[in-house]
Amino acid sequence: MTDQLDQMSQQRVSIEIFDTTLRDGLQVEGVSATVDDKLRIARQLDYLGVQYIEGGWPGANPKDIEFFARAATELELSASTFVAFGSTRRPRGKVDEDVTLQHLLDANTSAVCIVAKSSAYHVTEALQTSLDEGASMIADSVEFLHGHGRRVLVDMEHFFDGFKVNPEFSYRALEAAVLKGASHVVLCDTNGGSLPHEVEEIVRAVHGHIGNDVIIGIHCHDDTGCAVANSMAAVRGGARHVQGTLNGLGERTGNANLTSIIPNLQLKQNFVCLPEGRMERLTVVSHRVAETLNRAVNPQAPYVGSSAFAHKAGLHVSAIARARDAYEHVDPSAVGNGTRFVVSEMAGKATIQWKADEIGVSLDGPEIKAIIDELKRLEHEGYQFEAADASLELLMRRATGWQQDFFRVESMRLITDEVGRAAFSTEATVKVWVGDERFVFTAEGNGPVNAIDTALRRAVQKAYPQLSRVHLIDFKVRILDGGEATGAVTRVLLTATNGVEEWTTIGVSPNIIEASWRALEDSLVYGLLHPPDA
Ligand SMILES: [Zn+2]
């Protein structure tokens, strides 16, 4: 039996994962990364264990020049190979006079990836040159880089669209790369318009044509919502190298999402994408990269989203307690995520019990009943704990008689002045006790919530420096009884992070400042209760 298992594991086929978050991923609107951010992301990708990390265009601009210079000395990768990206030589140019190719060599990476025009239409229309010259540009460039000892991956731009119209030229482009020593030809769905059955068919045809001399790769964009499915279809057709980005970042509708593709291939199809023991890091890496780029992970993202394994109170909570696999498609811990039970006033005893087990609070029968009564009372006032897990946890702890002793607020004062026309200044003063020490802090803010957050945080941070890692990432306000206009009740939801975990707290009051203040206090207490481990 053991022999049989050994044999089975030997037969597992490897799929190379090539991450392009640092190039294609950063094309997403509203995102910009500093050189430090890029180094941090590269380290996270190596921690996850992807095979290739594409760093971008060396020499393209001062930021990229600095990034490649610092990567050469500061980036110590243990699992991943760092790749410089560029393009083939210019039409009618010479390889040894080509600036882009020279930058690729200067980057001094063992592997380089170049983009090549593999669609006849793009050669004649975009490059305004002949198909012969188009093929020569690829052949010359690959030969030059290969001759300088580089492993050469070629991204075949617009491959699928070109192949549908003129497969002869697309094959010619591939052959030019293969004959001159490319290690990989990566078929790109650059406009993202292809569908899974087309991708599988074309990749299979290419595989039949060029055989196993080089590795066939796939690079998809999500314009039809099929980038993940297209990447998997390509693997069915014979691709063994998948390019994509973490969290599907990328311009327009994004790139193929590696945080979905990797577990799909490895957990469901028995391929090997990551080294042993790395799949469990997927969720934390996804969130850390999102955090670095200041873009929260979609809660509904497959595998890594905070709702990916969340079960709402009701019929199946007690059933899932008995048999988790009846309601979860994979074990959440396989990707480093966890089961969550979402609690609302509909909650029964089983849900509260499970939530208590999840957060490690032990409750007796009367305490559970008290919590359910309190939930009903608060939800009637306008609280809603479905989204505010952190406040729920604090409520449950308080039901056992627990009280936070991190800090005690003596008073808070907020002043907003109109200084001249349309210029507002806001200032908050907070007096806080930590043990028998009193801290008084005043802060200005661009608005009242910002001012009270800054003042409270500064005061408490004096005693708890670990709070410097905690910051707000989302602030939602909702007016609950619209009919009452400015007299209505306000619900505030605050989401904070320590760089590893995210949590949401709630405050409700007719006074928007009080609602925000309650949510802020809970947010800091939760942050102090749950220091990040790494
Ligand atoms: Zn792309």
Side-chain angles (χ1 to χ4, degrees):
M1 187 65 193
T2 317
D3 281 355
Q4 240 179 346
L5 283 175
D6 279 353
Q7 264 179 4
M8 271 176 64
S9 67
Q10 275 164 14
Q11 284 162 3
R12 292 181 71 186
V13 173
S14 290
I15 304 290
E16 295 181 352
I17 299 298
F18 181 108
D19 180 280
T20 178
T21 305
L22 294 174
R23 182 184 60 86
D24 247 7
L26 295 184
Q27 302 295 320
V28 65
E29 271 181 81
V31 158
S32 80
T34 64
V35 172
D36 282 317
D37 291 339
K38 289 174 129 190
L39 289 167
R40 208 170 293 138
I41 291 170
R43 288 190 191 101
Q44 286 300 314
L45 291 164
D46 182 55
Y47 175 74
L48 178 63
V50 301
Q51 188 134 3
Y52 292 101
I53 300 172
E54 192 181 76
W57 297 73
N61 57 53
K63 210 199 244 181
D64 285 326
I65 291 169
E66 187 193 340
F67 175 58
F68 272 88
R70 286 183 58 188
T73 55
E74 294 174 36
L75 203 55
E76 281 176 32
L77 302 177
S78 60
S80 311
T81 300
F82 193 59
V83 183
F85 186 85
S87 63
T88 57
R89 69 161 171 78
R90 293 159 180 279
R92 296 170 295 278
K94 289 195 172 133
V95 282
D96 46 11
E97 290 168 5
D98 194 276
V99 180
T100 304
L101 291 175
Q102 194 53 49
H103 283 149
L104 277 174
L105 290 184
D106 293 345
N108 220 6
T109 54
S110 61
V112 296
C113 183
I114 53 171
V115 59
K117 296 242 183 289
S118 61
S119 143
Y121 177 74
H122 281 85
V123 172
T124 52
E125 297 308 308
L127 290 181
Q128 300 269 307
T129 192
S130 69
L131 295 181
D132 286 344
E133 173 63 0
S136 298
M137 285 165 63
I138 300 174
D140 296 352
S141 306
V142 173
E143 184 176 39
F144 176 75
L145 293 166
H146 183 61
H148 281 85
R150 301 300 190 274
R151 190 184 321 171
V152 187
L153 296 81
V154 185
D155 270 11
M156 295 287 173
E157 197 184 43
H158 298 290
F159 187 83
F160 293 92
D161 296 336
F163 189 95
K164 287 172 202 168
V165 179
N166 184 343
E168 292 75 23
F169 179 73
S170 296
Y171 277 135
R172 209 176 147 194
L174 289 176
E175 284 158 9
V178 174
L179 289 172
K180 297 296 182 184
S183 62
H184 295 65
V185 286
V186 182
L187 315 184
C188 302
D189 188 26
T190 308
N191 294 349
S194 296
L195 295 173
H197 65 280
E198 301 169 321
V199 170
E200 182 176 345
E201 202 175 297
I202 292 173
V203 173
R204 181 160 286 138
V206 167
H207 188 223
H209 188 79
I210 64 171
N212 293 320
D213 292 348
V214 297
I215 296 174
I216 298 173
I218 181 75
H219 176 117
C220 294
H221 284 258
D222 203 31
D223 299 74
T224 59
C226 290
V228 169
N230 284 344
S231 306
M232 297 186 63
V235 169
R236 282 170 60 90
R240 293 291 175 262
H241 169 107
V242 176
Q243 302 195 344
T245 61
L246 283 187
N247 304 325
L249 286 172
E251 66 179 325
R252 306 192 308 275
T253 54
N255 280 58
N257 188 348
L258 291 178
T259 47
S260 298
I261 293 171
I262 292 171
N264 278 350
L265 290 173
Q266 186 160 320
L267 300 179
K268 298 189 179 256
Q269 296 197 290
N270 208 33
F271 290 108
V272 180
C273 300
L274 297 176
E276 189 68 31
R278 301 298 182 94
M279 185 63 84
E280 295 82 346
R281 300 178 179 179
L282 190 68
T283 299
V284 71
V285 169
S286 148
H287 286 255
R288 281 179 189 159
V289 169
E291 173 60 21
T292 303
L293 297 174
N294 200 16
R295 257 182 101 87
V297 175
N298 175 3
Q300 294 192 301
Y303 296 103
V304 298
S306 56
S307 299
F309 301 98
H311 305 276
K312 194 154 170 172
L315 285 180
H316 71 245
V317 168
S318 52
I320 202 172
R322 290 191 298 274
R324 292 209 174 182
D325 57 356
Y327 296 93
E328 288 177 340
H329 71 115
V330 292
D331 177 355
S333 66
V335 290
N337 208 337
T339 299
R340 269 178 58 226
F341 294 106
V342 180
V343 174
S344 73
E345 62 180 333
M346 302 284 288
K349 278 179 67 172
T351 316
I352 298 295
Q353 189 61 61
W354 270 90
K355 194 77 201 176
D357 291 348
E358 189 184 309
I359 61 185
V361 175
S362 88
L363 298 173
D364 59 22
E367 284 165 350
I368 291 180
K369 183 169 180 317
I371 289 169
I372 293 175
D373 290 347
E374 179 72 351
L375 277 176
K376 286 188 177 154
R377 188 183 70 77
L378 289 171
E379 297 216 350
H380 183 69
E381 270 181 29
Y383 278 80
Q384 202 190 37
F385 289 93
E386 284 180 23
D389 260 16
S391 287
L392 177 68
E393 175 176 330
L394 297 178
L395 179 147
M396 292 174 74
R397 287 181 189 278
R398 285 176 193 128
T400 66
W402 172 86
Q403 277 191 320
Q404 68 98 353
D405 54 5
F406 296 111
F407 61 90
R408 189 167 55 78
V409 177
E410 180 188 302
S411 67
M412 183 272 283
R413 162 191 267 175
L414 184 72
I415 302 164
T416 295
D417 291 314
E418 188 179 14
V419 193
R421 180 129 181 89
F424 275 78
S425 87
T426 304
E427 187 183 290
T429 300
V430 171
K431 297 174 186 169
V432 170
W433 290 83
V434 177
D436 44 19
E437 229 184 317
R438 185 167 181 261
F439 297 95
V440 179
F441 270 88
T442 296
E444 287 180 328
N446 57 15
V449 176
N450 182 231
I452 58 178
D453 175 46
T454 310
L456 178 63
R457 186 180 306 275
R458 275 190 198 153
V460 179
Q461 205 168 292
K462 207 70 187 154
Y464 302 102
Q466 68 266 38
L467 279 183
S468 64
R469 295 182 58 176
V470 174
H471 62 268
L472 299 184
I473 51 176
D474 197 20
F475 174 72
K476 285 198 191 81
V477 178
R478 191 153 164 217
I479 307 302
L480 292 180
D481 189 353
E484 299 268 332
T486 52
V489 171
T490 305
R491 177 198 292 153
V492 166
L493 284 172
L494 278 186
T495 303
T497 182
N498 54 22
V500 177
E501 198 194 343
E502 286 163 21
W503 61 89
T504 301
T505 54
I506 187 169
V508 173
S509 166
N511 180 329
I512 184 173
I513 300 301
E514 187 190 355
S516 308
W517 179 251
R518 297 282 163 249
L520 271 175
E521 248 189 296
D522 268 10
S523 184
L524 288 190
V525 171
Y526 186 91
L528 289 164
L529 265 177
H530 297 272
D533 350 291

